Amino acid sequence: MKNAMQHTLSQRMTEFEKACRTADLKVTHQRLEVYRELVQAADHPSAEMLYKRILERLHTISLDTVYRTLATLEKHGLITRVQTIESQARFEAKMVCHHHAVCSTCGAITDFTWDSFDETPVPAVLGEWGKVSKRNAILEGICNNCSAKN
Amino acid sequence: MKNAMQHTLSQRMTEFEKACRTADLKVTHQRLEVYRELVQAADHPSAEMLYKRILERLHTISLDTVYRTLATLEKHGLITRVQTIESQARFEAKMVCHHHAVCSTCGAITDFTWDSFDETPVPAVLGEWGKVSKRNAILEGICNNCSAKN
DNA sequence: ATGGGTGCAAACCATTTGCATAGGA
DNA sequence: TCCTATGCAAATGGTTTGCACCCAT
């Protein structure tokens, strides 16, 4: 299990380096660490959260660089900015199709897959709107952790 | 058509006043104008956009009041903050179930209904996550306006 | 060697807050 | 009258930017 995880991570880091070279982005220590941290995170962290985590390993990184890196990677489609009602931006590096369940109490965002939704055709009337390229479901509710705490 | 619209609007304003009294919120000129403007808007405006629009009619309103009003109305469930990847918050007063199509070029958000999605049961595995109370689909793509402009 | 990337500090933008006043109940 | 809501201005929090130096290519 840990090996599988490690393997996947190093695979993703290799793909990342390749993608950087393709996009003419220099493979810097900072970019590697930002990406690595985001791949490993399951909680859709903000720039500040990522910064604090990376700082424990890489004492010289600055918050500005984290912001700049996130913007760059987003622009190149390597990471995604998550749709939220919150004021601070949150990110994810999971690029395979998935959806989000958001706890309205603690704000935690949980990933899940939903094949029957993915297969439901979009309403015909949307042809008048434009060309849909991506679809996401966002469920809202109270997570079991928060219910337990009452 | 205009009459129907007007009628619906005044109906909604009456409901709004009633809701304010129930919630022990004073029915002020400013609150009425913020709510009226948001009910009439189809474009999910930001606080600043609402402020500018209201200013044309009510020259004394301040931006702070718009922010405060939006926060208050949201807290009481009278309006909704829209999930976006943008830095400024956007709002809507449409409280009946609907979904959003977002143009990735111009950022416009268009409402639509999607019965087959509303009826699709959520994945069983979400029982382990918690209790879902609301579901939203967000479609992303390019609207016809933007495609036309090329 | 060279140009993009980084750190630092200052600027910026959206939003929030403290305080005295005004206006709805 | 009483207390909440407002306007003003200042503070805040998140994010961006200018500039000089550094480092991946």
Side-chain angles (χ1 to χ4, degrees):
Chain A
M1 177 113 147
K2 193 185 169 192
N3 282 337
M5 174 61 198
Q6 290 301 93
H7 180 62
T8 302
L9 177 60
S10 70
Q11 253 181 237
R12 296 207 59 186
M13 292 311 297
T14 306
E15 286 162 17
F16 175 68
E17 285 198 34
K18 200 193 296 178
C20 282
R21 289 188 220 287
T22 305
D24 266 312
L25 295 176
K26 291 187 178 169
V27 179
T28 64
H29 198 182
Q30 290 87 336
R31 283 178 177 160
L32 287 168
E33 291 309 314
V34 168
Y35 189 75
R36 185 199 318 283
E37 197 64 51
L38 195 51
V39 166
Q40 289 180 286
D43 60 348
H44 313 80
S46 65
E48 186 114 30
M49 288 160 77
L50 283 170
Y51 170 63
K52 284 183 184 154
R53 292 174 197 176
I54 296 166
L55 208 52
E56 313 217 328
R57 286 181 276 113
L58 180 60
H59 303 275
T60 60
I61 198 170
S62 77
L63 180 55
D64 323 73
T65 298
V66 175
Y67 275 110
R68 261 189 281 234
T69 302
L70 290 169
T72 304
L73 301 190
E74 185 195 14
K75 185 167 59 182
H76 288 84
L78 298 171
I79 66 172
T80 302
R81 194 177 291 254
V82 179
Q83 294 135 332
T84 68
I85 61 168
E86 291 169 41
S87 55
Q88 43 177 24
R90 295 175 65 170
F91 299 85
E92 64 186 359
K94 181 178 199 167
M95 301 307 280
V96 298
C97 178
H98 69 281
H99 307 283
H100 291 148
V102 182
C103 175
S104 42
T105 300
C106 68
I109 302 173
T110 305
D111 293 340
F112 67 95
T113 55
W114 195 0
D115 293 344
S116 54
F117 167 65
D118 298 338
E119 290 156 10
T120 303
V122 303
V125 63
L126 277 171
E128 292 163 28
W129 172 78
K131 207 173 120 197
V132 174
S133 59
K134 202 177 159 209
R135 55 168 72 191
N136 275 103
I138 300 183
L139 305 189
E140 204 183 302
I142 314 267
C143 73
N144 288 334
N145 269 350
C146 287
S147 315
K149 285 181 198 156
N150 236 2
Chain B
M1 180 117 144
K2 191 184 169 192
N3 282 338
M5 174 61 199
Q6 291 300 92
H7 180 63
T8 301
L9 175 61
S10 71
Q11 253 182 236
R12 296 206 60 186
M13 292 310 296
T14 306
E15 286 163 17
F16 175 68
E17 285 199 34
K18 200 195 294 180
C20 282
R21 290 189 219 286
T22 305
D24 264 312
L25 295 176
K26 290 187 178 169
V27 179
T28 65
H29 198 181
Q30 291 87 336
R31 282 178 178 159
L32 287 169
E33 291 310 314
V34 168
Y35 188 75
R36 185 197 320 280
E37 196 65 52
L38 195 52
V39 166
Q40 288 179 288
D43 60 348
H44 313 79
S46 65
E48 186 113 28
M49 289 159 77
L50 283 171
Y51 170 62
K52 284 183 184 153
R53 292 174 196 175
I54 295 166
L55 209 52
E56 313 216 328
R57 286 181 277 114
L58 180 60
H59 302 276
T60 59
I61 197 168
S62 77
L63 180 55
D64 326 72
T65 298
V66 175
Y67 274 110
R68 261 189 280 235
T69 301
L70 290 169
T72 303
L73 301 190
E74 184 195 14
K75 186 167 60 181
H76 288 85
L78 299 171
I79 65 172
T80 303
R81 194 176 290 256
V82 179
Q83 294 135 332
T84 69
I85 62 169
E86 292 169 40
S87 55
Q88 42 179 23
R90 295 175 64 170
F91 299 85
E92 65 185 0
K94 182 179 198 166
M95 303 306 280
V96 298
C97 179
H98 69 281
H99 307 285
H100 290 149
V102 182
C103 175
S104 42
T105 301
C106 68
I109 302 174
T110 304
D111 294 340
F112 67 95
T113 55
W114 194 0
D115 293 344
S116 55
F117 167 66
D118 298 338
E119 290 156 12
T120 305
V122 303
V125 62
L126 277 171
E128 291 162 28
W129 173 78
K131 206 172 119 196
V132 174
S133 59
K134 202 179 159 206
R135 54 169 71 191
N136 275 103
I138 300 183
L139 305 190
E140 205 183 300
I142 315 267
C143 72
N144 288 335
N145 268 351
C146 287
S147 315
K149 287 181 199 158
N150 239 2

